[in-house]
Amino acid sequence: SRCPMRCPRADGFLYCITLRFGVYSVCLYDMVSSIFDIIGTVTTLLYPEILSRSQDNDAFHGAEASEAGSAAGRRMMVRAGKATILLAALQVYFGFRGAIASRIGNTRDVGEYVGFKVLYLSLTLVMQMTLHRLWWDGCGMLSQEVCLDQKSQFIFVGLVALLPGLYCLWVSWSLYDSLKDGGEQVLYRAGYDEYDLEQRRQ
């Protein structure tokens, strides 16, 4: 009942919802949020002037200090936008399959959702931490000390932002591990009823 890293199973989602409906809720959230990500990113790519009016310097905002920096920023914006759309589309697909699988108790599909979740979180972390202009356009007028401090902050913020996703991954893995275990008491605790267990016996 333990994974290779010896992590225990979650008893439920937020300690008040069963694993079954917790993972179902996470999958639905993934689907809906990804659809909005696609809409927002497509809008940004079609109307890049929206970004030029903003003063932010996050992953989708280019360097405005020079023409070269601005051009590099636009190229990075396009690449990051395409990557975001691809990941969001995949998350809609796997979220849909995961939602159905968690409801009916399909071990294989839940396992595939967990595997995709690992990949998605890893790529998202890399994008959040490394797509800022300081990584690819230099430190500009910042001193090396301040520049290093800024980069450290990006890494820290990226890791902190990952925590909710890691929790959802742990809950999803816990359901997968429970389904793989197959014990009736384990499945009862995960949120499956007698009808579901009877379907699995057939």
Side-chain angles (χ1 to χ4, degrees):
S1 63
R2 293 177 179 269
C3 68
M5 295 182 67
R6 309 296 295 176
C7 59
R9 290 181 190 143
D11 293 326
F13 182 64
L14 300 177
Y15 299 100
C16 61
I17 303 175
T18 62
L19 290 176
R20 178 188 188 182
F21 289 103
V23 174
Y24 179 73
S25 300
V26 170
C27 291
L28 290 183
Y29 171 80
D30 283 349
M31 290 174 57
V32 174
S33 63
S34 294
I35 290 172
F36 279 104
D37 281 345
I38 292 173
I39 294 173
T41 304
V42 169
T43 302
T44 299
L45 294 178
L46 291 177
Y47 303 99
E49 63 272 12
I50 295 175
L51 293 180
S52 66
R53 301 193 189 105
S54 173
Q55 298 301 314
D56 294 334
N57 271 331
D58 62 13
F60 293 97
H61 291 68
E64 300 296 328
S66 65
E67 291 186 7
S70 181
R74 286 193 293 270
R75 289 195 298 272
M76 184 61 71
M77 180 190 73
V78 171
R79 291 169 184 168
K82 290 178 179 178
T84 298
I85 291 172
L86 175 60
L87 285 175
L90 288 172
Q91 184 156 251
V92 170
Y93 171 73
F94 281 100
F96 176 75
R97 291 188 59 187
I100 295 176
S102 62
R103 287 295 300 271
I104 66 176
N106 188 308
T107 307
R108 186 189 66 180
D109 285 355
V110 172
E112 289 180 359
Y113 171 74
V114 171
F116 171 75
K117 195 77 171 171
V118 172
L119 175 64
Y120 178 84
L121 292 175
S122 301
L123 293 178
T124 300
L125 177 63
V126 172
M127 291 176 64
Q128 287 179 338
M129 292 195 306
T130 63
L131 287 182
H132 192 277
R133 57 173 293 189
L134 288 180
W135 298 101
W136 45 265
D137 194 39
C139 296
M141 298 179 63
L142 298 177
S143 67
Q144 288 297 320
E145 183 178 351
V146 174
C147 187
L148 179 61
D149 182 62
Q150 287 291 318
K151 290 179 178 179
S152 300
Q153 288 185 36
F154 298 144
I155 295 174
F156 176 75
V157 171
L159 290 172
V160 171
L162 196 67
L163 292 179
L166 288 175
Y167 175 75
C168 292
L169 174 61
W170 177 47
V171 171
S172 301
W173 170 83
S174 297
L175 177 63
Y176 170 66
D177 195 54
S178 297
L179 290 170
K180 196 166 62 170
D181 182 296
E184 293 193 355
Q185 291 301 317
V186 173
L187 294 177
Y188 270 128
R189 287 195 298 270
Y192 296 95
D193 55 27
E194 186 61 38
Y195 173 79
D196 300 308
L197 297 180
E198 184 63 31
Q199 292 296 109
R200 292 177 66 87
R201 295 189 194 107
Q202 296 178 1

mmCIF file of all heavy atoms in Angstrom, residues 18-63:
data_model
loop_
_atom_site.group_PDB
_atom_site.id
_atom_site.type_symbol
_atom_site.label_atom_id
_atom_site.label_comp_id
_atom_site.label_asym_id
_atom_site.label_seq_id
_atom_site.Cartn_x
_atom_site.Cartn_y
_atom_site.Cartn_z
ATOM 1 N N THR A 18 -14.180 11.984 -0.311
ATOM 2 C CA THR A 18 -13.541 10.709 -0.637
ATOM 3 C C THR A 18 -12.577 10.872 -1.795
ATOM 4 O O THR A 18 -12.661 11.820 -2.577
ATOM 5 C CB THR A 18 -14.596 9.652 -1.015
ATOM 6 O OG1 THR A 18 -15.296 10.084 -2.193
ATOM 7 C CG2 THR A 18 -15.581 9.420 0.121
ATOM 8 N N LEU A 19 -11.635 9.943 -1.885
ATOM 9 C CA LEU A 19 -10.665 9.981 -2.976
ATOM 10 C C LEU A 19 -11.358 9.968 -4.335
ATOM 11 O O LEU A 19 -10.952 10.673 -5.259
ATOM 12 C CB LEU A 19 -9.717 8.785 -2.869
ATOM 13 C CG LEU A 19 -8.711 8.790 -1.722
ATOM 14 C CD1 LEU A 19 -7.927 7.487 -1.709
ATOM 15 C CD2 LEU A 19 -7.767 9.980 -1.851
ATOM 16 N N ARG A 20 -12.403 9.155 -4.438
ATOM 17 C CA ARG A 20 -13.112 9.027 -5.717
ATOM 18 C C ARG A 20 -13.614 10.373 -6.207
ATOM 19 O O ARG A 20 -13.321 10.775 -7.340
ATOM 20 C CB ARG A 20 -14.285 8.053 -5.545
ATOM 21 C CG ARG A 20 -15.121 7.870 -6.790
ATOM 22 C CD ARG A 20 -16.358 7.053 -6.473
ATOM 23 N NE ARG A 20 -17.105 6.693 -7.655
ATOM 24 C CZ ARG A 20 -18.250 6.008 -7.629
ATOM 25 N NH1 ARG A 20 -18.757 5.618 -6.453
ATOM 26 N NH2 ARG A 20 -18.881 5.718 -8.739
ATOM 27 N N PHE A 21 -14.351 11.089 -5.372
ATOM 28 C CA PHE A 21 -14.927 12.351 -5.812
ATOM 29 C C PHE A 21 -13.923 13.494 -5.699
ATOM 30 O O PHE A 21 -14.085 14.523 -6.366
ATOM 31 C CB PHE A 21 -16.198 12.641 -5.018
ATOM 32 C CG PHE A 21 -17.330 11.733 -5.401
ATOM 33 C CD1 PHE A 21 -17.689 10.669 -4.590
ATOM 34 C CD2 PHE A 21 -18.008 11.922 -6.593
ATOM 35 C CE1 PHE A 21 -18.716 9.813 -4.966
ATOM 36 C CE2 PHE A 21 -19.029 11.064 -6.965
ATOM 37 C CZ PHE A 21 -19.390 10.011 -6.159
ATOM 38 N N GLY A 22 -12.892 13.315 -4.894
ATOM 39 C CA GLY A 22 -11.831 14.309 -4.866
ATOM 40 C C GLY A 22 -11.078 14.349 -6.180
ATOM 41 O O GLY A 22 -10.846 15.423 -6.745
ATOM 42 N N VAL A 23 -10.697 13.175 -6.677
ATOM 43 C CA VAL A 23 -9.996 13.111 -7.959
ATOM 44 C C VAL A 23 -10.919 13.549 -9.095
ATOM 45 O O VAL A 23 -10.490 14.236 -10.035
ATOM 46 C CB VAL A 23 -9.452 11.698 -8.217
ATOM 47 C CG1 VAL A 23 -8.846 11.579 -9.614
ATOM 48 C CG2 VAL A 23 -8.417 11.340 -7.149
ATOM 49 N N TYR A 24 -12.187 13.185 -9.004
ATOM 50 C CA TYR A 24 -13.166 13.629 -10.009
ATOM 51 C C TYR A 24 -13.215 15.153 -10.050
ATOM 52 O O TYR A 24 -13.216 15.760 -11.132
ATOM 53 C CB TYR A 24 -14.536 13.055 -9.660
ATOM 54 C CG TYR A 24 -15.650 13.450 -10.596
ATOM 55 C CD1 TYR A 24 -15.735 12.903 -11.872
ATOM 56 C CD2 TYR A 24 -16.618 14.363 -10.204
ATOM 57 C CE1 TYR A 24 -16.754 13.267 -12.734
ATOM 58 C CE2 TYR A 24 -17.649 14.730 -11.057
ATOM 59 C CZ TYR A 24 -17.708 14.179 -12.321
ATOM 60 O OH TYR A 24 -18.722 14.538 -13.176
ATOM 61 N N SER A 25 -13.214 15.790 -8.886
ATOM 62 C CA SER A 25 -13.253 17.255 -8.826
ATOM 63 C C SER A 25 -11.974 17.867 -9.382
ATOM 64 O O SER A 25 -12.017 18.875 -10.096
ATOM 65 C CB SER A 25 -13.453 17.710 -7.371
ATOM 66 O OG SER A 25 -14.657 17.203 -6.841
ATOM 67 N N VAL A 26 -10.832 17.256 -9.057
ATOM 68 C CA VAL A 26 -9.553 17.753 -9.567
ATOM 69 C C VAL A 26 -9.516 17.677 -11.092
ATOM 70 O O VAL A 26 -9.069 18.605 -11.772
ATOM 71 C CB VAL A 26 -8.380 16.959 -8.957
ATOM 72 C CG1 VAL A 26 -7.070 17.291 -9.670
ATOM 73 C CG2 VAL A 26 -8.257 17.258 -7.471
ATOM 74 N N CYS A 27 -9.997 16.567 -11.635
ATOM 75 C CA CYS A 27 -10.020 16.403 -13.093
ATOM 76 C C CYS A 27 -10.920 17.444 -13.765
ATOM 77 O O CYS A 27 -10.559 18.014 -14.803
ATOM 78 C CB CYS A 27 -10.481 14.992 -13.455
ATOM 79 S SG CYS A 27 -9.309 13.687 -13.026
ATOM 80 N N LEU A 28 -12.070 17.699 -13.172
ATOM 81 C CA LEU A 28 -12.961 18.714 -13.729
ATOM 82 C C LEU A 28 -12.319 20.096 -13.668
ATOM 83 O O LEU A 28 -12.419 20.883 -14.625
ATOM 84 C CB LEU A 28 -14.292 18.724 -12.970
ATOM 85 C CG LEU A 28 -15.207 17.521 -13.163
ATOM 86 C CD1 LEU A 28 -16.517 17.737 -12.400
ATOM 87 C CD2 LEU A 28 -15.509 17.286 -14.644
ATOM 88 N N TYR A 29 -11.649 20.375 -12.563
ATOM 89 C CA TYR A 29 -10.952 21.667 -12.449
ATOM 90 C C TYR A 29 -9.869 21.777 -13.520
ATOM 91 O O TYR A 29 -9.699 22.840 -14.142
ATOM 92 C CB TYR A 29 -10.341 21.811 -11.061
ATOM 93 C CG TYR A 29 -9.441 23.019 -10.950
ATOM 94 C CD1 TYR A 29 -9.986 24.290 -10.756
ATOM 95 C CD2 TYR A 29 -8.057 22.899 -11.061
ATOM 96 C CE1 TYR A 29 -9.169 25.405 -10.676
ATOM 97 C CE2 TYR A 29 -7.234 24.008 -10.981
ATOM 98 C CZ TYR A 29 -7.792 25.259 -10.794
ATOM 99 O OH TYR A 29 -6.980 26.358 -10.722
ATOM 100 N N ASP A 30 -9.109 20.698 -13.719
ATOM 101 C CA ASP A 30 -8.076 20.708 -14.759
ATOM 102 C C ASP A 30 -8.673 21.020 -16.122
ATOM 103 O O ASP A 30 -8.109 21.808 -16.897
ATOM 104 C CB ASP A 30 -7.368 19.346 -14.807
ATOM 105 C CG ASP A 30 -6.368 19.178 -13.671
ATOM 106 O OD1 ASP A 30 -6.075 20.185 -12.992
ATOM 107 O OD2 ASP A 30 -5.891 18.042 -13.476
ATOM 108 N N MET A 31 -9.802 20.398 -16.423
ATOM 109 C CA MET A 31 -10.437 20.621 -17.722
ATOM 110 C C MET A 31 -10.864 22.077 -17.898
ATOM 111 O O MET A 31 -10.537 22.718 -18.896
ATOM 112 C CB MET A 31 -11.650 19.698 -17.870
ATOM 113 C CG MET A 31 -11.324 18.230 -18.034
ATOM 114 S SD MET A 31 -12.833 17.221 -18.011
ATOM 115 C CE MET A 31 -13.761 17.955 -19.357
ATOM 116 N N VAL A 32 -11.590 22.599 -16.917
ATOM 117 C CA VAL A 32 -12.130 23.954 -17.024
ATOM 118 C C VAL A 32 -11.012 24.993 -17.059
ATOM 119 O O VAL A 32 -11.006 25.905 -17.893
ATOM 120 C CB VAL A 32 -13.101 24.250 -15.866
ATOM 121 C CG1 VAL A 32 -13.546 25.709 -15.893
ATOM 122 C CG2 VAL A 32 -14.314 23.329 -15.951
ATOM 123 N N SER A 33 -10.038 24.860 -16.150
ATOM 124 C CA SER A 33 -8.941 25.833 -16.105
ATOM 125 C C SER A 33 -8.115 25.791 -17.382
ATOM 126 O O SER A 33 -7.651 26.834 -17.866
ATOM 127 C CB SER A 33 -8.048 25.574 -14.893
ATOM 128 O OG SER A 33 -7.423 24.302 -14.964
ATOM 129 N N SER A 34 -7.944 24.602 -17.966
ATOM 130 C CA SER A 34 -7.173 24.478 -19.193
ATOM 131 C C SER A 34 -7.899 25.120 -20.377
ATOM 132 O O SER A 34 -7.268 25.710 -21.249
ATOM 133 C CB SER A 34 -6.879 23.004 -19.496
ATOM 134 O OG SER A 34 -6.029 22.459 -18.502
ATOM 135 N N ILE A 35 -9.208 24.995 -20.401
ATOM 136 C CA ILE A 35 -9.977 25.642 -21.467
ATOM 137 C C ILE A 35 -9.797 27.159 -21.396
ATOM 138 O O ILE A 35 -9.585 27.830 -22.417
ATOM 139 C CB ILE A 35 -11.463 25.262 -21.362
ATOM 140 C CG1 ILE A 35 -11.648 23.781 -21.737
ATOM 141 C CG2 ILE A 35 -12.321 26.151 -22.265
ATOM 142 C CD1 ILE A 35 -13.044 23.250 -21.486
ATOM 143 N N PHE A 36 -9.835 27.713 -20.184
ATOM 144 C CA PHE A 36 -9.609 29.152 -20.029
ATOM 145 C C PHE A 36 -8.173 29.529 -20.374
ATOM 146 O O PHE A 36 -7.921 30.615 -20.919
ATOM 147 C CB PHE A 36 -9.958 29.594 -18.608
ATOM 148 C CG PHE A 36 -11.430 29.801 -18.387
ATOM 149 C CD1 PHE A 36 -12.181 28.870 -17.690
ATOM 150 C CD2 PHE A 36 -12.066 30.926 -18.901
ATOM 151 C CE1 PHE A 36 -13.544 29.060 -17.496
ATOM 152 C CE2 PHE A 36 -13.432 31.125 -18.708
ATOM 153 C CZ PHE A 36 -14.175 30.189 -18.007
ATOM 154 N N ASP A 37 -7.215 28.650 -20.047
ATOM 155 C CA ASP A 37 -5.822 28.901 -20.432
ATOM 156 C C ASP A 37 -5.683 28.984 -21.943
ATOM 157 O O ASP A 37 -4.969 29.853 -22.467
ATOM 158 C CB ASP A 37 -4.917 27.781 -19.902
ATOM 159 C CG ASP A 37 -4.599 27.941 -18.423
ATOM 160 O OD1 ASP A 37 -4.835 29.039 -17.889
ATOM 161 O OD2 ASP A 37 -4.127 26.966 -17.814
ATOM 162 N N ILE A 38 -6.351 28.075 -22.651
ATOM 163 C CA ILE A 38 -6.283 28.078 -24.113
ATOM 164 C C ILE A 38 -6.883 29.364 -24.666
ATOM 165 O O ILE A 38 -6.293 30.019 -25.546
ATOM 166 C CB ILE A 38 -7.011 26.846 -24.684
ATOM 167 C CG1 ILE A 38 -6.245 25.566 -24.321
ATOM 168 C CG2 ILE A 38 -7.156 26.963 -26.202
ATOM 169 C CD1 ILE A 38 -6.974 24.287 -24.683
ATOM 170 N N ILE A 39 -8.046 29.747 -24.164
ATOM 171 C CA ILE A 39 -8.703 30.968 -24.644
ATOM 172 C C ILE A 39 -7.815 32.185 -24.386
ATOM 173 O O ILE A 39 -7.608 33.029 -25.272
ATOM 174 C CB ILE A 39 -10.070 31.143 -23.967
ATOM 175 C CG1 ILE A 39 -11.022 30.034 -24.403
ATOM 176 C CG2 ILE A 39 -10.665 32.519 -24.308
ATOM 177 C CD1 ILE A 39 -12.346 30.021 -23.654
ATOM 178 N N GLY A 40 -7.271 32.282 -23.162
ATOM 179 C CA GLY A 40 -6.439 33.426 -22.822
ATOM 180 C C GLY A 40 -5.155 33.480 -23.633
ATOM 181 O O GLY A 40 -4.744 34.559 -24.093
ATOM 182 N N THR A 41 -4.521 32.331 -23.837
ATOM 183 C CA THR A 41 -3.260 32.304 -24.587
ATOM 184 C C THR A 41 -3.479 32.604 -26.061
ATOM 185 O O THR A 41 -2.700 33.342 -26.678
ATOM 186 C CB THR A 41 -2.582 30.935 -24.415
ATOM 187 O OG1 THR A 41 -2.403 30.656 -23.024
ATOM 188 C CG2 THR A 41 -1.227 30.926 -25.096
ATOM 189 N N VAL A 42 -4.529 32.033 -26.639
ATOM 190 C CA VAL A 42 -4.832 32.321 -28.051
ATOM 191 C C VAL A 42 -5.109 33.809 -28.233
ATOM 192 O O VAL A 42 -4.638 34.430 -29.198
ATOM 193 C CB VAL A 42 -6.034 31.474 -28.528
ATOM 194 C CG1 VAL A 42 -6.515 31.963 -29.895
ATOM 195 C CG2 VAL A 42 -5.651 29.998 -28.603
ATOM 196 N N THR A 43 -5.860 34.394 -27.301
ATOM 197 C CA THR A 43 -6.135 35.832 -27.375
ATOM 198 C C THR A 43 -4.842 36.635 -27.311
ATOM 199 O O THR A 43 -4.645 37.597 -28.063
ATOM 200 C CB THR A 43 -7.064 36.257 -26.222
ATOM 201 O OG1 THR A 43 -8.278 35.511 -26.296
ATOM 202 C CG2 THR A 43 -7.382 37.747 -26.300
ATOM 203 N N THR A 44 -3.932 36.226 -26.432
ATOM 204 C CA THR A 44 -2.656 36.920 -26.288
ATOM 205 C C THR A 44 -1.818 36.823 -27.557
ATOM 206 O O THR A 44 -1.195 37.792 -27.987
ATOM 207 C CB THR A 44 -1.866 36.345 -25.103
ATOM 208 O OG1 THR A 44 -2.615 36.534 -23.899
ATOM 209 C CG2 THR A 44 -0.519 37.022 -24.963
ATOM 210 N N LEU A 45 -1.802 35.639 -28.176
ATOM 211 C CA LEU A 45 -1.011 35.452 -29.390
ATOM 212 C C LEU A 45 -1.615 36.216 -30.578
ATOM 213 O O LEU A 45 -0.884 36.721 -31.433
ATOM 214 C CB LEU A 45 -0.896 33.966 -29.716
ATOM 215 C CG LEU A 45 -0.099 33.117 -28.726
ATOM 216 C CD1 LEU A 45 -0.110 31.654 -29.140
ATOM 217 C CD2 LEU A 45 1.340 33.621 -28.615
ATOM 218 N N LEU A 46 -2.941 36.296 -30.621
ATOM 219 C CA LEU A 46 -3.589 37.002 -31.721
ATOM 220 C C LEU A 46 -3.498 38.516 -31.557
ATOM 221 O O LEU A 46 -3.464 39.258 -32.544
ATOM 222 C CB LEU A 46 -5.066 36.581 -31.822
ATOM 223 C CG LEU A 46 -5.330 35.148 -32.279
ATOM 224 C CD1 LEU A 46 -6.823 34.849 -32.267
ATOM 225 C CD2 LEU A 46 -4.747 34.909 -33.672
ATOM 226 N N TYR A 47 -3.476 38.974 -30.298
ATOM 227 C CA TYR A 47 -3.436 40.414 -30.023
ATOM 228 C C TYR A 47 -2.275 40.711 -29.073
ATOM 229 O O TYR A 47 -2.493 41.047 -27.900
ATOM 230 C CB TYR A 47 -4.756 40.879 -29.420
ATOM 231 C CG TYR A 47 -5.957 40.580 -30.293
ATOM 232 C CD1 TYR A 47 -6.762 39.467 -30.038
ATOM 233 C CD2 TYR A 47 -6.277 41.391 -31.378
ATOM 234 C CE1 TYR A 47 -7.856 39.173 -30.846
ATOM 235 C CE2 TYR A 47 -7.361 41.110 -32.186
ATOM 236 C CZ TYR A 47 -8.146 39.998 -31.911
ATOM 237 O OH TYR A 47 -9.228 39.716 -32.709
ATOM 238 N N PRO A 48 -1.024 40.615 -29.568
ATOM 239 C CA PRO A 48 0.142 40.815 -28.688
ATOM 240 C C PRO A 48 0.238 42.231 -28.134
ATOM 241 O O PRO A 48 0.939 42.453 -27.146
ATOM 242 C CB PRO A 48 1.323 40.513 -29.613
ATOM 243 C CG PRO A 48 0.797 40.720 -30.993
ATOM 244 C CD PRO A 48 -0.643 40.297 -30.948
ATOM 245 N N GLU A 49 -0.475 43.190 -28.748
ATOM 246 C CA GLU A 49 -0.420 44.555 -28.229
ATOM 247 C C GLU A 49 -0.992 44.657 -26.827
ATOM 248 O O GLU A 49 -0.715 45.604 -26.088
ATOM 249 C CB GLU A 49 -1.166 45.523 -29.154
ATOM 250 C CG GLU A 49 -2.647 45.263 -29.307
ATOM 251 C CD GLU A 49 -2.960 44.270 -30.432
ATOM 252 O OE1 GLU A 49 -2.018 43.625 -30.916
ATOM 253 O OE2 GLU A 49 -4.134 44.167 -30.805
ATOM 254 N N ILE A 50 -1.793 43.650 -26.443
ATOM 255 C CA ILE A 50 -2.319 43.625 -25.076
ATOM 256 C C ILE A 50 -1.174 43.593 -24.076
ATOM 257 O O ILE A 50 -1.191 44.282 -23.053
ATOM 258 C CB ILE A 50 -3.244 42.412 -24.870
ATOM 259 C CG1 ILE A 50 -4.486 42.537 -25.756
ATOM 260 C CG2 ILE A 50 -3.648 42.274 -23.407
ATOM 261 C CD1 ILE A 50 -5.382 41.324 -25.698
ATOM 262 N N LEU A 51 -0.140 42.812 -24.398
ATOM 263 C CA LEU A 51 0.992 42.685 -23.494
ATOM 264 C C LEU A 51 1.869 43.926 -23.499
ATOM 265 O O LEU A 51 2.460 44.279 -22.491
ATOM 266 C CB LEU A 51 1.839 41.470 -23.882
ATOM 267 C CG LEU A 51 1.175 40.112 -23.680
ATOM 268 C CD1 LEU A 51 2.119 39.009 -24.095
ATOM 269 C CD2 LEU A 51 0.765 39.932 -22.247
ATOM 270 N N SER A 52 1.964 44.583 -24.647
ATOM 271 C CA SER A 52 2.842 45.747 -24.736
ATOM 272 C C SER A 52 2.364 46.882 -23.856
ATOM 273 O O SER A 52 3.123 47.776 -23.503
ATOM 274 C CB SER A 52 2.939 46.223 -26.186
ATOM 275 O OG SER A 52 1.687 46.712 -26.648
ATOM 276 N N ARG A 53 1.077 46.853 -23.476
ATOM 277 C CA ARG A 53 0.547 47.898 -22.607
ATOM 278 C C ARG A 53 0.748 47.584 -21.132
ATOM 279 O O ARG A 53 0.488 48.392 -20.266
ATOM 280 C CB ARG A 53 -0.957 48.082 -22.864
ATOM 281 C CG ARG A 53 -1.295 48.457 -24.297
ATOM 282 C CD ARG A 53 -2.744 48.919 -24.386
ATOM 283 N NE ARG A 53 -3.166 49.075 -25.772
ATOM 284 C CZ ARG A 53 -3.959 48.222 -26.411
ATOM 285 N NH1 ARG A 53 -4.402 47.159 -25.779
ATOM 286 N NH2 ARG A 53 -4.305 48.429 -27.658
ATOM 287 N N SER A 54 1.176 46.352 -20.859
ATOM 288 C CA SER A 54 1.333 45.928 -19.469
ATOM 289 C C SER A 54 2.745 46.200 -18.976
ATOM 290 O O SER A 54 3.696 46.194 -19.740
ATOM 291 C CB SER A 54 1.016 44.435 -19.342
ATOM 292 O OG SER A 54 1.306 43.987 -18.052
ATOM 293 N N GLN A 55 2.880 46.419 -17.682
ATOM 294 C CA GLN A 55 4.191 46.671 -17.086
ATOM 295 C C GLN A 55 4.748 45.437 -16.402
ATOM 296 O O GLN A 55 5.814 45.496 -15.788
ATOM 297 C CB GLN A 55 4.076 47.822 -16.068
ATOM 298 C CG GLN A 55 3.634 49.136 -16.681
ATOM 299 C CD GLN A 55 4.585 49.607 -17.761
ATOM 300 O OE1 GLN A 55 5.795 49.583 -17.564
ATOM 301 N NE2 GLN A 55 4.045 50.018 -18.895
ATOM 302 N N ASP A 56 4.017 44.342 -16.460
ATOM 303 C CA ASP A 56 4.492 43.126 -15.784
ATOM 304 C C ASP A 56 5.691 42.557 -16.506
ATOM 305 O O ASP A 56 5.923 42.827 -17.671
ATOM 306 C CB ASP A 56 3.389 42.062 -15.729
ATOM 307 C CG ASP A 56 2.246 42.511 -14.843
ATOM 308 O OD1 ASP A 56 2.492 43.331 -13.946
ATOM 309 O OD2 ASP A 56 1.113 42.048 -15.061
ATOM 310 N N ASN A 57 6.445 41.700 -15.817
ATOM 311 C CA ASN A 57 7.621 41.061 -16.410
ATOM 312 C C ASN A 57 7.587 39.558 -16.162
ATOM 313 O O ASN A 57 8.577 38.971 -15.767
ATOM 314 C CB ASN A 57 8.911 41.629 -15.803
ATOM 315 C CG ASN A 57 9.394 42.844 -16.565
ATOM 316 O OD1 ASN A 57 9.145 42.970 -17.755
ATOM 317 N ND2 ASN A 57 10.059 43.751 -15.875
ATOM 318 N N ASP A 58 6.428 38.952 -16.361
ATOM 319 C CA ASP A 58 6.362 37.516 -16.114
ATOM 320 C C ASP A 58 6.762 36.764 -17.367
ATOM 321 O O ASP A 58 7.331 37.318 -18.292
ATOM 322 C CB ASP A 58 4.973 37.095 -15.610
ATOM 323 C CG ASP A 58 3.888 37.375 -16.634
ATOM 324 O OD1 ASP A 58 4.238 37.645 -17.801
ATOM 325 O OD2 ASP A 58 2.698 37.331 -16.266
ATOM 326 N N ALA A 59 6.476 35.452 -17.397
ATOM 327 C CA ALA A 59 6.988 34.601 -18.468
ATOM 328 C C ALA A 59 6.515 35.029 -19.843
ATOM 329 O O ALA A 59 7.196 34.773 -20.835
ATOM 330 C CB ALA A 59 6.570 33.153 -18.218
ATOM 331 N N PHE A 60 5.369 35.690 -19.944
ATOM 332 C CA PHE A 60 4.839 36.032 -21.245
ATOM 333 C C PHE A 60 5.106 37.488 -21.624
ATOM 334 O O PHE A 60 4.531 37.992 -22.565
ATOM 335 C CB PHE A 60 3.325 35.780 -21.277
ATOM 336 C CG PHE A 60 3.001 34.333 -21.183
ATOM 337 C CD1 PHE A 60 2.668 33.762 -19.966
ATOM 338 C CD2 PHE A 60 3.054 33.518 -22.291
ATOM 339 C CE1 PHE A 60 2.377 32.422 -19.871
ATOM 340 C CE2 PHE A 60 2.769 32.171 -22.198
ATOM 341 C CZ PHE A 60 2.429 31.630 -20.991
ATOM 342 N N HIS A 61 5.968 38.178 -20.867
ATOM 343 C CA HIS A 61 6.251 39.565 -21.157
ATOM 344 C C HIS A 61 7.711 39.709 -21.556
ATOM 345 O O HIS A 61 8.603 39.281 -20.840
ATOM 346 C CB HIS A 61 5.961 40.452 -19.945
ATOM 347 C CG HIS A 61 4.496 40.545 -19.647
ATOM 348 N ND1 HIS A 61 3.780 39.468 -19.187
ATOM 349 C CD2 HIS A 61 3.622 41.563 -19.763
ATOM 350 C CE1 HIS A 61 2.525 39.816 -19.006
ATOM 351 N NE2 HIS A 61 2.402 41.085 -19.355
ATOM 352 N N GLY A 62 7.955 40.315 -22.684
ATOM 353 C CA GLY A 62 9.299 40.426 -23.221
ATOM 354 C C GLY A 62 10.061 41.598 -22.653
ATOM 355 O O GLY A 62 9.541 42.424 -21.930
ATOM 356 N N ALA A 63 11.341 41.654 -22.990
ATOM 357 C CA ALA A 63 12.187 42.758 -22.563
ATOM 358 C C ALA A 63 11.882 43.967 -23.426
ATOM 359 O O ALA A 63 11.890 43.883 -24.644
ATOM 360 C CB ALA A 63 13.654 42.355 -22.704
#
